[in-house]
């Protein structure tokens, strides 16, 4: 085999090796960046979940100390539990949060409530207070249970 062919093959092989090394290095960097991104996303999700759990505990304490309307608390806890542990609302005593939500979900909130006629708002408030009164003991028991629940 001529010497120039040997040199060409050696050079071609060296170029291929260098190209493969560059490719492998880029892949390693990408994998490392993806791992960092994934860890960051997992940490964010874990913090977000813990913040929601803390919010549930605060709302439960507010219920126990009668610092919040039970209907408002049930709606908020139900919304948080949807993200944290939705299957919990199927179990007693936590089922009351879903029951109250189901009975009140047709009522307008926020701006829609402000835009609603006062007479209709008064009627809804009476209905809401009746639901709260009917479930008050269950709500208090559920609040104590959820505050002590290990998430």
């Amino acid at each position: 085999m001529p010497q120039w062919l040997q040199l060409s093959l050696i050079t071609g092989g060296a170029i291929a090796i260098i190209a493969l090394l560059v490719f492998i290095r880029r892949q390693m960097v990408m994998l490392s960046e993806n791992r960092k991104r994934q860890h960051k996303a997992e940490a964010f999700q874990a913090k977000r979940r813990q913040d929601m759990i803390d919010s549930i505990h605060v709302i439960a304490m507010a219920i126990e100390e009668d610092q919040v309307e039970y209907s408002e608390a049930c709606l908020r806890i139900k919304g948080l539990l949807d993200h944290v542990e939705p299957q919990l609302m199927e179990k007693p005593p936590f089922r009351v949060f879903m029951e109250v939500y189901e009975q009140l979900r047709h009522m307008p909130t926020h701006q829609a409530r402000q835009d609603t006629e006062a007479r209709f708002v008064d009627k809804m408030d009476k209905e809401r207070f009746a639901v709260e009164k009917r479930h008050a003991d269950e709500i208090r028991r559920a609040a104590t249970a959820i505050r002590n629940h290990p998430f």
Side-chain angles (χ1 to χ4, degrees), residues 40-57:
K40 190 175 180 179
E42 288 170 358
F44 174 78
Q45 291 298 330
K47 181 175 180 350
R48 184 172 178 240
R49 177 179 163 73
Q50 187 57 50
D51 289 346
M52 286 188 236
I53 291 169
D54 292 344
S55 294
I56 290 170
H57 289 152

Side-chain angles (χ1 to χ4, degrees), residues 5-73:
L5 183 59
Q6 288 177 351
L7 218 55
S8 297
L9 291 175
I10 291 172
T11 304
I15 291 173
I17 290 171
I18 291 171
L20 287 172
L21 287 173
V22 168
F23 175 76
I24 291 170
R25 176 70 180 146
R26 283 186 182 163
Q27 292 295 1
M28 287 176 54
V29 168
M30 273 192 343
L31 283 173
S32 175
E33 288 174 358
N34 285 342
R35 237 181 269 121
K36 285 179 188 177
R37 246 185 265 121
Q38 184 177 359
H39 287 305
K40 190 175 180 179
E42 288 170 358
F44 174 78
Q45 291 298 330
K47 181 175 180 350
R48 184 172 178 240
R49 177 179 163 73
Q50 187 57 50
D51 289 346
M52 286 188 236
I53 291 169
D54 292 344
S55 294
I56 290 170
H57 289 152
V58 168
I59 295 168
M61 284 188 280
I63 290 172
E64 292 175 323
E65 296 174 10
D66 286 328
Q67 295 178 346
V68 65
E69 291 181 352
Y70 291 168
S71 56
E72 175 73 17

Side-chain angles (χ1 to χ4, degrees), residues 104-115:
L104 302 179
R105 69 192 251 177
H106 67 281
M107 295 183 182
T109 59
H110 304 90
Q111 188 62 43
R113 180 179 168 89
Q114 292 175 2
D115 295 341

Side-chain angles (χ1 to χ4, degrees), residues 34-149:
N34 285 342
R35 237 181 269 121
K36 285 179 188 177
R37 246 185 265 121
Q38 184 177 359
H39 287 305
K40 190 175 180 179
E42 288 170 358
F44 174 78
Q45 291 298 330
K47 181 175 180 350
R48 184 172 178 240
R49 177 179 163 73
Q50 187 57 50
D51 289 346
M52 286 188 236
I53 291 169
D54 292 344
S55 294
I56 290 170
H57 289 152
V58 168
I59 295 168
M61 284 188 280
I63 290 172
E64 292 175 323
E65 296 174 10
D66 286 328
Q67 295 178 346
V68 65
E69 291 181 352
Y70 291 168
S71 56
E72 175 73 17
C74 287
L75 295 176
R76 290 181 184 272
I77 288 176
K78 189 261 183 212
L80 290 165
L81 282 176
D82 280 344
H83 297 286
V84 174
E85 202 170 323
Q87 68 278 10
L88 196 61
M89 288 182 289
E90 298 169 7
K91 301 175 186 173
F94 311 112
R95 190 176 296 136
V96 71
F97 299 128
M98 180 61 90
E99 290 171 9
V100 171
Y101 169 80
E102 288 296 329
Q103 293 174 16
L104 302 179
R105 69 192 251 177
H106 67 281
M107 295 183 182
T109 59
H110 304 90
Q111 188 62 43
R113 180 179 168 89
Q114 292 175 2
D115 295 341
T116 304
E117 188 178 319
R119 182 175 45 89
F120 188 62
V121 170
D122 290 341
K123 181 182 173 191
M124 287 186 304
D125 283 345
K126 286 178 186 172
E127 181 183 346
R128 185 170 52 88
F129 293 142
V131 170
E132 286 181 9
K133 187 174 183 180
R134 188 169 47 249
H135 296 286
D137 291 335
E138 283 181 272
I139 293 170
R140 280 193 294 276
R141 280 194 297 276
T144 300
I146 205 159
R147 193 171 50 80
N148 296 314
H149 180 74

